[in-house]
Amino acid sequence: MRKPKVNRMVLAMCLWCFIMVIFYFHSNPKPASPQGSGRSSGQGKSGRSPLQMLYDSDQLEQSAVQVTHQGRRELLEDACRSYTRKRRVLIPEDLKHIIVDDQHGLLYCYVPKVACTNWKRVLMVLTGAAGPHRDPLAIPANEAHVPGNLRTLSEYSTSQINQRLRSYLKFVFVREPFERLVSAYRNKFTRSYNTAFHKRYGTKIIRQHRPDPQAEALERGDDVSFEEFVYYLVDPATQREEPFNEHWERVHTLCHPCLIHYDVVGKYETLEQDSRYVLQLAGVKGQVTFPTSAKSTRTTGDMAAQFFHSISPFYQKKLYNLYHMDFLLFNYSTPEYLKFR
């Protein structure tokens, strides 16, 4: 008669032990150690991870920079609370733009036309994907974009994703939305070497948004005007057919800043300062330097204003509505040159 009682006690003890093990691992997440490393993933020489460095004000000399980034985080969180109502669960498709550096505990969401080539170069050096190269600029630009050189968060299991989102430093670099858009147009549609974009998108834009196009234009697709590009973007049929290309997709769609808590929101306008800050947090400031770009080739606000001069107020408004969330989330003012103001 005593056996069932003993069995119940043994079962209860086993269940209790199982619950304690689950609680222990949940409350003590540890990053997986990278191959060939003698210390835990994401820890610098000081033993602190970049995320710990960020929130440990005693370890940072540039307190003004820290205050700036704290303000950006708070503004982003406030905007997300104000302008997004429904929260959803992240899926692997959402994480394809987030590059993982397990050795230094970094998650970087890359945004095309916001210095992403140079950030990929830096991460290739840090992860060892660059081979013998220690200078990021020694890595050809096209090699930085080769799939497989850097791992993305979407390649990991659910538990590995959650662990990295909790314990790694998450950063993203953003840019004034219309300057980024004009930069994408200039690069992809006005450069003779971008024949793939001309064929893939240029021919479609001309066919759908140019009255009586010439046969050569339909074949080559290399003379798309900015006005035609805007018509293509605001046409509802465009996104019904397929998602936007990443070069003109909205940042909030690429990086999901209201679902992922970014610890550092860098800006193109303060690129060098913000990049130094991230490398300082990662504990690699002396090992790799973020490349400086030629400012003479950058798309500026004045340049963007020239391109928008030919766009009617009606289409300016439609385009602004399309990119409105990026303006709000990252605290960019409505451009003064827009005519619908």
Side-chain angles (χ1 to χ4, degrees):
M1 295 295 292
R2 297 170 66 92
K3 264 189 176 180
K5 186 175 181 180
V6 171
N7 290 341
R8 284 197 298 271
M9 288 178 64
V10 171
L11 183 62
M13 287 296 293
C14 291
L15 182 60
W16 172 252
C17 291
F18 177 74
I19 292 171
M20 289 302 292
V21 168
I22 292 295
F23 176 78
Y24 173 80
F25 281 106
H26 181 71
S27 59
N28 293 276
K30 292 183 179 180
S33 298
Q35 292 182 359
S37 174
R39 52 179 193 271
S40 297
S41 168
Q43 290 186 344
K45 292 180 180 178
S46 65
R48 292 180 176 87
S49 72
L51 197 59
Q52 291 169 326
M53 290 288 288
L54 176 68
Y55 294 106
D56 187 352
S57 59
D58 294 336
Q59 299 299 316
L60 296 174
E61 298 175 3
Q62 297 175 307
S63 58
V65 175
Q66 187 184 22
V67 169
T68 296
H69 285 277
Q70 181 179 346
R72 290 178 186 174
R73 287 194 300 273
E74 291 172 354
L75 282 168
L76 177 57
E77 289 169 7
D78 289 344
C80 286
R81 281 194 295 268
S82 299
Y83 299 107
T84 59
R85 297 177 182 176
K86 294 182 180 180
R87 292 184 64 85
R88 62 175 179 80
V89 176
L90 287 164
I91 59 175
E93 185 71 22
D94 298 328
L95 309 174
K96 288 186 174 181
H97 268 249
I98 299 181
I99 294 172
V100 181
D101 176 359
D102 280 322
Q103 297 180 36
H104 301 91
L106 301 173
L107 295 178
Y108 162 58
C109 186
Y110 72 90
V111 179
K113 308 313 299 176
V114 194
C116 77
T117 300
N118 281 341
W119 263 114
K120 287 181 179 181
R121 286 166 160 160
V122 168
L123 289 169
M124 285 179 69
V125 171
L126 291 179
T127 59
H133 296 305
R134 303 309 300 166
D135 176 9
L137 287 178
I139 304 169
N142 62 323
E143 191 175 325
H145 298 294
V146 172
N149 278 343
L150 294 164
R151 295 193 71 182
T152 63
L153 196 56
S154 60
E155 299 173 36
Y156 291 77
S157 69
T158 301
S159 61
Q160 291 172 329
I161 289 170
N162 290 333
Q163 182 268 317
R164 283 160 177 77
L165 287 172
R166 284 196 307 270
S167 59
Y168 283 17
L169 182 85
K170 299 167 290 296
F171 69 100
V172 60
F173 275 75
V174 300
R175 184 178 187 178
E176 200 279 340
F178 283 171
E179 288 181 26
R180 175 176 170 249
L181 187 65
V182 170
S183 178
Y185 166 76
R186 290 178 64 215
N187 179 254
K188 301 305 176 188
F189 295 107
T190 69
R191 303 289 191 266
S192 59
Y193 56 79
N194 265 323
T195 55
F197 268 81
H198 301 161
K199 289 285 188 180
R200 174 72 174 81
Y201 295 100
T203 54
K204 178 189 292 187
I205 292 171
I206 291 169
R207 184 171 63 253
Q208 295 178 347
H209 300 286
R210 180 179 298 180
D212 302 321
Q214 298 294 316
E216 184 180 2
L218 288 170
E219 172 65 23
R220 296 170 62 90
D222 60 354
D223 64 343
V224 172
S225 69
F226 184 67
E227 192 174 9
E228 290 167 339
F229 181 52
V230 170
Y231 294 159
Y232 165 77
L233 292 173
V234 301
D235 184 352
T238 298
Q239 290 190 82
R240 284 200 298 266
E241 290 178 7
E242 60 180 347
F244 276 167
N245 180 275
E246 62 179 11
H247 290 84
W248 46 85
E249 180 60 277
R250 285 70 54 92
V251 176
H252 74 271
T253 302
L254 294 175
C255 296
H256 309 283
C258 293
L259 297 176
I260 297 172
H261 175 84
Y262 286 96
D263 305 294
V264 176
V265 178
K267 293 201 170 187
Y268 192 75
E269 296 77 14
T270 50
L271 176 62
E272 293 178 16
Q273 173 184 292
D274 295 344
S275 297
R276 284 196 303 269
Y277 180 58
V278 172
L279 295 177
Q280 178 187 354
L281 292 171
V284 296
K285 193 175 177 183
Q287 301 173 35
V288 63
T289 302
F290 188 84
T292 55
S293 59
K295 294 184 179 180
S296 61
T297 62
R298 287 186 179 181
T299 299
T300 63
D302 289 341
M303 196 178 295
Q306 293 175 17
F307 278 87
F308 272 85
H309 183 72
S310 63
I311 308 301
S312 71
F314 176 79
Y315 281 102
Q316 286 185 4
K317 179 65 173 176
K318 287 176 75 73
L319 192 67
Y320 180 77
N321 289 342
L322 192 62
Y323 289 86
H324 190 211
M325 281 302 293
D326 279 0
F327 279 98
L328 289 174
L329 294 176
F330 304 114
N331 198 32
Y332 285 107
S333 302
T334 306
E336 292 288 342
Y337 55 77
L338 294 182
K339 301 171 188 173
F340 68 82
R341 291 168 57 87

